[in-house]
Amino acid sequence: AQSVTQLDSQVPVFEEAPVELRCNYSSSVSVYLFWYVQYPNQGLQLLLKYLSGSTLVKGINGFEAEFNKSQTSFHLRKPSVHISDTAEYFCAVSTNTGNQFYFGTGTSLTVIP
Amino acid sequence: EPEVTQTPSHQVTQMGQEVILRCVPISNHLYFYWYRQILGQKVEFLVSFYNNEISEKSEIFDDQFSVERPDGSNFTLKIRSTKLEDSAMYFCASSERAGSKYGYTFGSGTRLTVV
C-alpha cells in the first residue's frame, strides 16, 4: 500500500522568504510523485510531478521539488514566495501501474506581507 | 483553460436523506473520478469510471454510493442515505487518458454537511 505524510499542517512565511513544504511517502513499489495546489474556492491544480529521470523537477509559479529515493521524500521548495502563493498544498503518490492518487493531509501555506 | 465544474459548492442535508453531487467534466475527457476529504484528514479516492462503468473503487465506496453519467456531460455521485460521517469535501476529477502520470483536472469541490 502507498501512503503520504505531510508533517506540517500549517506553514506561515514572510513574503519574499524561501519556503520548503515537506512530503514523505511510503510504498513497496515504484511510484509517481505529485504536488497539487488548491487556491481558495478553486480546484486542485497540478504544480509539478516526478515520473522518472532527473530528480529535480520544476513546476509552475517558480516551485520545484526534489525526489530523494533513499529518504523517500519529495519536498516542495520556492526560493521567494509571494502573497499569491497562499494556498493549500497537497503531496500525492500513485503507482506506475495505477490510476488513483494517495494524498497527504495537506499543508496550508500562509504568506505574510 | 478547460475546467471541471462542480455544483453545488456547498450542500446541507439531513441525516438519512439522499443527496446527488453533480460534476461536469472536461468535454473530451473519458475517465472520471470522485475523491473526498473529511475535514482535517487526507483526500481519499472513492471511485473511477470509464466507458459507463466503474473501473475501480475503494473500500469507502460501499452500497450507499453510486455514480452515473446520465446524459453524456454530467457525472454524478449519489449518496442514498446520508450519515453524519459523510460530511466532507467531495472532489470530482477527469482525465483524457488512463494512468495517473497524465494527471487529472480536479473541480473546486462540493462541501457536504450532514446534520
Side-chain angles (χ1 to χ4, degrees):
Chain A
Q2 290 72 40
S3 68
V4 174
T5 302
Q6 292 181 250
L7 289 172
D8 306 308
S9 59
Q10 296 185 34
V11 173
V13 62
F14 286 104
E15 192 174 14
E16 297 183 6
V19 70
E20 177 180 84
L21 306 184
R22 296 181 294 169
C23 172
N24 288 87
Y25 70 93
S26 172
S27 177
S28 57
V29 299
S30 295
V31 294
Y32 298 137
L33 295 151
F34 305 81
W35 276 98
Y36 278 86
V37 60
Q38 185 181 29
Y39 299 106
N41 301 315
Q42 296 187 28
L44 294 166
Q45 180 181 359
L46 181 66
L47 261 183
L48 48 78
K49 61 184 177 183
Y50 172 79
L51 303 181
S52 65
S54 173
T55 57
L56 183 65
V57 292
K58 294 187 184 300
I60 61 172
N61 302 337
F63 283 93
E64 63 181 32
E66 185 157 20
F67 169 56
N68 188 319
K69 189 174 182 179
S70 63
Q71 296 187 5
T72 59
S73 67
F74 191 56
H75 301 330
L76 181 71
R77 301 186 184 101
K78 186 169 182 177
S80 175
V81 295
H82 301 135
I83 297 291
S84 58
D85 292 324
T86 294
E88 190 85 14
Y89 291 79
F90 294 92
C91 182
V93 303
S94 71
T95 66
N96 56 11
T97 56
N99 201 27
Q100 65 171 275
F101 291 103
Y102 300 87
F103 283 90
T105 48
T107 297
S108 177
L109 174 65
T110 301
V111 180
I112 305 164
Chain B
E1 188 170 338
E3 291 183 344
V4 173
T5 305
Q6 290 187 245
T7 56
S9 57
H10 189 189
Q11 181 154 359
V12 180
T13 188
Q14 287 199 324
M15 190 169 54
Q17 295 295 305
E18 176 182 286
V19 66
I20 297 176
L21 308 183
R22 302 182 191 280
C23 170
V24 178
I26 293 173
S27 60
N28 65 333
H29 285 188
L30 302 175
Y31 300 85
F32 313 111
Y33 315 88
W34 283 101
Y35 283 74
R36 79 172 185 188
Q37 184 184 27
I38 296 171
L39 190 63
Q41 298 185 26
K42 298 184 179 186
V43 177
E44 302 170 292
F45 169 76
L46 291 178
V47 66
S48 60
F49 188 86
Y50 169 70
N51 199 26
N52 281 321
E53 59 183 31
I54 291 173
S55 46
E56 195 174 356
K57 62 181 181 179
S58 70
E59 293 177 352
I60 304 168
F61 195 87
D62 60 21
D63 291 344
Q64 71 163 333
F65 291 95
S66 62
V67 289
E68 194 177 28
R69 189 157 161 78
D71 55 13
S73 62
N74 290 284
F75 179 51
T76 62
L77 174 68
K78 181 191 291 185
I79 310 175
R80 286 190 187 78
S81 178
T82 50
K83 306 170 190 168
L84 294 176
E85 54 264 37
D86 294 326
S87 294
M89 179 73 90
Y90 288 81
F91 293 104
C92 174
S94 67
S95 63
E96 190 175 358
R97 291 187 269 185
S100 57
K101 68 179 182 178
Y102 299 107
Y104 301 169
T105 302
F106 283 86
S108 55
T110 293
R111 180 165 296 285
L112 176 65
T113 303
V114 182
V115 297

